[in-house]
Amino acid sequence: MNRPIKKVAIFCLALFAALFVNANYIQFVNASSYSSHPDNRRNLIYAFQNPRGQIIVDGKPIATSTPSSGILKYQRQYTNGPLYAQATGYFSVNFGSTSIEHYENSLLQGTDARLATQQFLNTIENKGKSGGSVVLTLNAAAQQAAYNGLSKAGGGKEIEGAVVALDPKTGALLALVSAPSFDPNSLATHDTKAEASAANALKSDPLQPNLDRALSQTYPPGSTFKIITSAAAMDNGINGQPVDENTVIPSPLNVLTFKDTTASLSNDAGETCGNTTLIQAFTLSCNTVYGTVGLDVGGAKLQAEAEKWGFNQTGPSVPMNAVTSAFPKNLTFDASVAQSAIGQFNVRMTPLQGAMMAATVANGGVTMAPYLVKQELDTKGNVISTTEPKQLYNPITSQQAGQLKDMMVSVVQNGTGTAAQINGVQVAGKTGTAQRGTGQNALAWFVSFAPADNPKVAVAVLVQDNNPNAGDVYGGTLAAPIAKDVIQAVLGSQR
Amino acid sequence: MRMTSTPLAAQAAHPPGEPHVPKRRNIEALLLVFALGIALFAYADTGKAMTGKTPPNLAALGAEFGITLLAAHLVVRRFAPYADPVLLPVASMINGLGLVLIYRLDPYNIANKLAPKAGAAPNQAIYTVLGMAVFIVLVIFLRDHRVLQRYAYISALVGLFLIALPAVLPASISEVNGARSWIRLGGFSVQPAEFGKLLLVSFFAAYLHAKRDALALASRRFLGLYLPRGRDLGPILVCWAFAMLILIRETDLGVSLMFFGAFVIILYMATERTSWLLFGLLLFVGGAAAVANMSSHVMVRVHAWLHPFSDVTGQTRQLAQSLYAFANGGLFGTGLGRGYSYQIGFANNADFMLATVGEELGLVGLTALFVAYAIIVVRGVKTALLVRDPYGKLFAAGLAATFALQVFITAGGVTRIIPLTGLPMPFLAYGGSALMANWILVALLIRISDAARRPLPPAIPLSDEMTQVVQA
């Protein structure tokens, strides 16, 4: 009987051999594919295993990691969460991450290759791993002014909007606000139920608080686009004649009509502007004059000019990717050309693009690439990288920029943008009141920079008042005061 | 070593010429100290990883476990002195490791109401003492394993009854997680099949030993195989039908496979006819496939086996979680108390216990555990080879093979070699009945191995005188 018993013994050992071979397969050969499965919560647990680096504004942390009880060892906390929500984004247990939390994840998490040596030493010193930190370019005072301004605009109800402020000389973002905002802490909680209900509340909110209006939404720029139309006229001349700010544009009509369409173009109060200079038309934001200028320049050249300023180009990464601002291609109808020349029809831009437009004028015609990360720090707080300002576009000459600056100063001094005047500081700006569909309030824009002679800050403000009883909405009344506050905050903090 | 470790008196007891058989009890004692050390070290390590300090009851628990092991050892030393010295320490080590792992999973299981309020570990500690008490009682009172041969048919009846009982009880009492293999009464639950399998192995060994000639010899040769006669097919068909019934009524592929597998293996060992193996395999695979098509429970298990990530929040959740755990363990594991296998949820400390071993001790630890299980099997088989009586041979080999099958079915299920079947990991899993049954299995092997290695009583010396014709 021993022979079959031995055979059975061999069979049993073969079973064990199969277990052993298979264990090698699942624990070694196939391990990484199992480990990277999105359902595997271990990745998440490990992500919360060590303290995550800080996000810092003006020397103060606005996102920190604090020890937490439970499986997830550290809790992400945002100081002034709603104020900085668009910049920090959130780092959620179940809903991923956004903005800086997303784009700087490897550094904040401590997995960045540049931290490898330090992490190794930390392990040897038995200190445990930790993340590196990110210093933002934001100016706390400017951010607060922008946030407060949008919160208070139009009585603070049903307001959507965005403020982007940047340093025209470097492209560093000084304020980045989208309203309404949300509290990233509600999405960072480890309480799965609270987290889910916060996410649902955000999703079902008609005002979409987690939408980044500053970078990822485009709006008709309205009259702010006249900056580019003016530049196109200066670049190309009109009827073979060179154009500057004092060129007289004949425009006798109070309404522009076009062939083959009932569409027309008129001024806000139905007035005629008469034969005015370019600077005069710009100051009063005269639509009929700019419609005429657009027609004189022509759709193709207008498009080429807009594209030099960044329209129809891939939006910059700050590091969040801004969407593309659009100028309609291959315009054929006069009505479309004239409307595009005053920033209507299918022209759309992000608030970031608006700020870049003002910054370009402020910076002598050179657009600097906007950026949000000033420095990256290692786990001990030493600087490992500092962002170098980069030139992005150069659409106009410094001479043209000077003329456009004069025109924008005129707007604030004696035009539609007087609400942005600041005692002792020369502010340059351009209002925009962009019409939308019937039944919708106009969008209020203000793009500006200051001080005009040595610009420190360029600001774009967009306010969309959804209140049906808001009455007439103007860029000069609704958006300009916010821009003024932001400018004052920046200048005040630099004094 | 041999000479010094054997008392002089024992030596003198052997008549010259008889081969000297060492008892190896001191080796067993040494290995038991080792097993105790591993369990306590693992316990301290786990406590440190989970709470930051060594568990306060380390010394008390160590003493308790140590005394239990000492008692078992002394009983074996006294009542089964020739028994295999490795079986008890290896079983104790796995039992101890199981206790640590249950303790390790307790915080999660208590929080999620998967374990009693005070935790599953204290219960398992009681079961361990009870299991070893049963072991001790069996070693003391079962002086000869051949006694069991006499009760073969009663064993069969009781065994079948135990295995079949959950099937006839209402599902509210017998069903846990889809399989009806339990008896739950007032907070107390038993898996009767764990005991039933031992009784049936004993019966198979006795019955097949008795009928082996008929089953082995009366056959026709066909295509190189000995085909059994029609009427000899009776027993295997009965067993097969019973296995299928278990599968259908209890929807328990594990018990069914183990029951039928044990029968076929013992049948093969008794008859040495490969045809029985093939015949049995065909029957089972055919039957199981047919049942799988009818039973949604079995079908779900098979589907989860083929596509473990197809429904990670529903029906394949546990298997997927188990695979994540193994993958996370990698070569060396996360360290005890530092893994996340508890996310398997239900049965993370029973059927899926191996996932925690895989995650926290790694491939290295898992392999060591497999080796430990294999040692029990090999020692069982060695006992079968050495023991003199055919019933003992079949019984010991049957027990060893059943044990190997259970390890394979359970481990293979959670590591996706075969579909999940729902058997507890021997000695490792939380559960009193399984633990007790496994200690009975070890006690039986100890008893048979004692018989195997015990020297024969000295033959009655032949008289020097001439044979005389007895005249009446």
Side-chain angles (χ1 to χ4, degrees):
Chain A
M1 217 181 277
N2 281 359
R3 210 157 56 112
I5 290 177
K6 281 177 188 163
K7 283 185 183 167
V8 166
I10 291 168
F11 167 71
C12 290
L13 291 182
L15 291 182
F16 280 102
L19 289 178
F20 174 69
V21 170
N22 183 61
N24 275 277
Y25 178 70
I26 60 171
Q27 294 205 265
F28 191 69
V29 180
N30 242 11
S32 60
S33 102
Y34 295 150
S35 295
S36 61
H37 195 282
D39 173 55
N40 192 344
R41 274 172 59 89
R42 283 168 184 76
N43 298 321
L44 194 75
I45 291 168
Y46 284 125
F48 284 89
Q49 201 68 13
N50 301 309
R52 194 172 165 83
Q54 296 180 333
I55 301 177
I56 299 166
V57 168
D58 276 353
K60 288 188 189 124
I62 55 168
T64 52
S65 258
T66 51
S68 149
S69 59
I71 312 168
L72 307 180
K73 295 277 192 298
Y74 286 91
Q75 165 77 54
R76 195 60 161 165
Q77 269 182 345
Y78 301 93
T79 322
N80 278 336
L83 175 61
Y84 293 105
Q86 302 307 327
T88 59
Y90 52 78
F91 184 65
S92 162
V93 178
N94 289 311
F95 296 93
S97 58
T98 57
S99 296
I100 290 296
E101 290 280 31
H102 177 73
Y103 286 94
E104 291 285 336
N105 184 51
S106 66
L107 181 82
L108 291 167
Q109 195 62 60
T111 53
D112 192 300
R114 292 170 293 176
L115 299 178
T117 316
Q118 204 166 34
Q119 299 292 25
F120 178 69
L121 291 175
N122 282 346
T123 311
I124 287 181
E125 291 172 45
N126 205 14
K127 278 182 189 158
K129 291 182 176 168
S130 56
S133 294
V134 177
V135 179
L136 300 186
T137 56
L138 294 181
N139 175 312
Q143 182 80 6
Q144 188 72 55
Y147 183 80
N148 290 351
L150 280 177
S151 311
K152 283 187 293 195
K157 280 180 188 162
E158 297 193 60
I159 289 288
E160 294 177 51
V163 174
V164 178
L166 39 79
D167 181 339
K169 288 172 186 158
T170 61
L173 285 160
L174 301 176
L176 182 66
V177 175
S178 170
S181 190
F182 65 98
D183 188 354
N185 286 311
S186 68
L187 289 169
T189 173
H190 294 177
D191 178 344
T192 311
K193 274 183 194 155
E195 185 192 35
S197 74
N200 280 333
L202 279 180
K203 206 188 264 179
S204 58
D205 190 327
L207 290 180
Q208 296 175 273
N210 55 345
L211 188 64
D212 183 355
R213 291 169 175 80
L215 304 177
S216 64
Q217 288 294 105
T218 60
Y219 303 87
S223 297
T224 60
F225 192 76
K226 286 171 185 164
I227 295 171
I228 291 177
T229 306
S230 304
M234 291 171 183
D235 256 2
N236 299 291
I238 292 176
N239 303 327
Q241 301 295 319
V243 170
D244 64 18
E245 56 190 291
N246 295 315
T247 305
V248 174
I249 312 288
S251 176
L253 303 171
N254 67 347
V255 58
L256 286 184
T257 55
F258 310 99
K259 296 175 290 194
D260 309 327
T261 173
T262 55
S264 65
L265 206 152
S266 59
N267 296 317
D268 183 56
E271 79 276 19
T272 56
C273 297
N275 294 340
T276 68
T277 56
L278 193 64
I279 189 170
Q280 195 62 21
F282 190 83
T283 306
L284 301 173
S285 202
C286 194
N287 289 341
T288 48
V289 173
Y290 269 88
T292 309
V293 169
L295 287 170
D296 289 344
V297 171
K301 284 179 177 163
L302 214 48
Q303 181 190 335
E305 183 69 29
E307 286 174 359
K308 283 201 284 180
W309 291 71
F311 282 79
N312 296 344
Q313 318 277 346
T314 307
S317 304
V318 300
M320 294 87 90
N321 298 318
V323 297
T324 300
S325 298
F327 187 88
K329 292 178 182 173
N330 309 321
L331 288 171
T332 46
F333 294 105
D334 282 355
S336 314
V337 174
Q339 286 180 338
S340 298
I342 61 162
Q344 296 282 168
F345 188 55
N346 287 338
V347 186
R348 308 200 46 104
M349 74 172 181
T350 58
L352 175 68
Q353 176 69 35
M356 285 162 64
M357 226 155 67
T360 305
V361 176
N363 196 36
V366 174
T367 319
M368 300 305 287
Y371 63 94
L372 184 56
V373 175
K374 186 196 273 177
Q375 289 174 327
E376 293 177 314
L377 311 181
D378 65 15
T379 63
K380 296 196 165 106
N382 307 312
V383 177
I384 48 178
S385 85
T386 304
T387 306
E388 294 294 330
K390 279 198 300 263
Q391 184 177 328
L392 187 61
Y393 305 119
N394 187 5
I396 47 174
T397 64
S398 61
Q399 197 196 348
Q400 290 165 339
Q403 293 176 9
L404 287 170
K405 181 180 79 180
D406 291 345
M407 291 162 69
M408 287 173 73
V409 167
S410 169
V411 167
V412 176
Q413 275 179 351
N414 30 19
T416 53
T418 50
Q421 286 175 0
I422 300 171
N423 245 349
V425 179
Q426 203 170 42
V427 178
K430 180 71 194 84
T431 55
T433 305
Q435 304 300 323
R436 294 190 295 156
T438 44
Q440 289 179 299
N441 290 334
L443 293 172
W445 278 99
F446 193 69
V447 302
S448 59
F449 62 90
D453 51 347
N454 180 24
K456 301 276 192 208
V457 54
V459 193
V461 176
L462 164 76
V463 183
Q464 174 182 328
D465 190 342
N466 296 324
N467 184 351
N469 306 318
D472 284 344
V473 167
Y474 290 108
T477 55
L478 209 51
I482 300 175
K484 175 188 163 182
D485 290 350
V486 174
I487 291 168
Q488 279 185 311
V490 173
L491 299 181
S493 66
Q494 288 179 352
R495 196 162 288 143
Chain B
M1 175 75 192
R2 224 176 176 191
M3 298 305 287
T4 50
S5 69
T6 315
L8 216 62
Q11 249 184 22
H14 293 291
E18 271 294 315
H20 168 69
V21 179
K23 292 179 180 162
R24 302 234 165 98
R25 295 278 60 86
N26 292 340
I27 291 178
E28 182 183 77
L30 198 70
L31 288 176
L32 276 171
V33 170
F34 196 58
L36 179 68
I38 289 179
L40 291 184
F41 181 75
Y43 184 48
D45 190 30
T46 307
K48 197 133 178 99
M50 287 171 51
T51 63
K53 48 184 187 284
T54 45
N57 59 355
L58 178 68
L61 268 187
E64 211 178 293
F65 195 44
I67 289 170
T68 318
L69 293 186
L70 182 68
H73 169 68
L74 289 178
V75 167
V76 172
R77 193 177 267 271
R78 169 79 179 79
F79 293 98
Y82 289 94
D84 190 296
V86 184
L87 281 169
L88 179 61
V90 172
S92 305
M93 185 201 74
I94 305 177
N95 192 156
L97 185 66
L99 271 168
V100 172
L101 294 179
I102 290 165
Y103 159 78
R104 185 259 165 277
L105 293 168
D106 260 352
Y108 174 85
N109 288 339
I110 293 169
N112 289 276
K113 299 198 167 58
L114 294 171
K117 273 208 185 69
N123 285 355
Q124 184 77 350
I126 295 170
Y127 297 149
T128 301
V129 173
L130 283 179
M132 295 186 87
V134 172
F135 170 90
I136 287 168
V137 167
L138 211 59
V139 171
I140 294 176
F141 291 101
L142 180 68
R143 304 306 295 272
D144 188 338
H145 63 272
R146 281 169 299 187
V147 172
L148 297 174
Q149 194 174 4
R150 288 185 220 143
Y151 300 106
Y153 285 90
I154 291 178
S155 300
L157 274 178
V158 177
L160 287 179
F161 174 75
L162 286 176
I163 289 189
L165 189 57
V168 295
L169 288 172
S172 61
I173 294 179
S174 64
E175 185 168 323
V176 173
N177 210 24
R180 293 173 64 174
S181 50
W182 293 78
I183 300 175
R184 293 182 304 160
L185 281 176
F188 199 77
S189 53
V190 185
Q191 271 185 305
E194 289 290 331
F195 299 103
K197 77 179 178 196
L198 299 176
L199 291 168
L200 284 176
V201 168
S202 166
F203 164 69
F204 292 155
Y207 173 79
L208 293 172
H209 158 59
K211 294 277 188 264
R212 59 186 291 231
D213 290 344
L215 293 170
L217 301 177
S219 54
R220 284 163 292 143
R221 208 175 149 79
F222 180 71
L223 288 178
L225 287 173
Y226 291 95
L227 287 187
R229 292 181 303 185
R231 58 181 147 159
D232 293 331
L233 286 175
I236 195 170
L237 285 179
V238 168
C239 277
W240 174 78
F242 193 74
M244 289 304 117
L245 270 178
I246 296 169
L247 197 55
I248 294 167
R249 280 295 298 177
E250 302 184 10
T251 58
D252 194 329
L253 190 61
V255 170
S256 170
L257 183 56
M258 211 173 57
F259 165 79
F260 192 65
F263 175 78
V264 171
I265 286 177
I266 298 173
L267 179 60
Y268 167 72
M269 287 190 290
T271 61
E272 217 172 322
R273 287 280 179 264
T274 322
S275 52
W276 284 119
L277 277 183
L278 286 176
F279 193 57
L281 193 72
L282 284 178
L283 273 178
F284 190 82
V285 170
V291 173
N293 273 327
M294 293 185 293
S295 152
S296 66
H297 178 77
V298 177
M299 209 146 64
V300 162
R301 292 280 172 97
V302 171
H303 185 260
W305 171 58
L306 294 173
H307 311 283
F309 300 108
S310 59
D311 184 13
V312 289
T313 54
Q315 287 172 335
T316 69
R317 195 188 65 78
Q318 280 184 305
L319 186 56
Q321 287 294 343
S322 172
L323 292 176
Y324 299 152
F326 281 107
N328 195 42
L331 277 187
F332 299 105
T334 60
L336 281 167
R338 293 180 167 85
Y340 302 95
S341 56
Y342 51 77
Q343 294 176 78
I344 293 167
F346 178 78
N348 61 12
N349 62 6
D351 305 13
F352 285 96
M353 190 56 123
L354 209 60
T356 304
V357 177
E359 177 159 15
E360 306 201 339
L361 298 175
L363 182 57
V364 173
L366 187 65
T367 307
L369 181 68
F370 285 155
V371 168
Y373 280 126
I375 285 174
I376 294 182
V377 173
V378 166
R379 286 292 161 158
V381 170
K382 192 184 168 205
T383 299
L385 290 175
L386 286 178
V387 79
R388 300 171 187 97
D389 69 299
Y391 164 74
K393 273 183 188 301
L394 286 180
F395 193 24
L399 289 175
T402 313
F403 190 80
L405 264 185
Q406 177 153 4
V407 170
F408 177 76
I409 291 170
T410 313
V414 297
T415 60
R416 205 166 85 89
I417 300 181
I418 55 171
L420 268 178
T421 53
L423 287 179
M425 212 54 216
F427 286 114
L428 214 54
Y430 175 56
S433 38
L435 191 60
M436 231 176 271
N438 286 317
W439 274 116
I440 293 174
L441 184 146
V442 171
L444 292 171
L445 286 180
I446 289 270
R447 173 49 64 214
I448 303 172
S449 71
D450 177 58
R453 295 178 68 244
R454 188 189 290 274
L456 287 171
I460 300 158
L462 291 174
S463 166
D464 286 341
E465 293 166 42
M466 295 285 289
T467 309
Q468 291 174 2
V469 178
V470 180
Q471 286 181 328

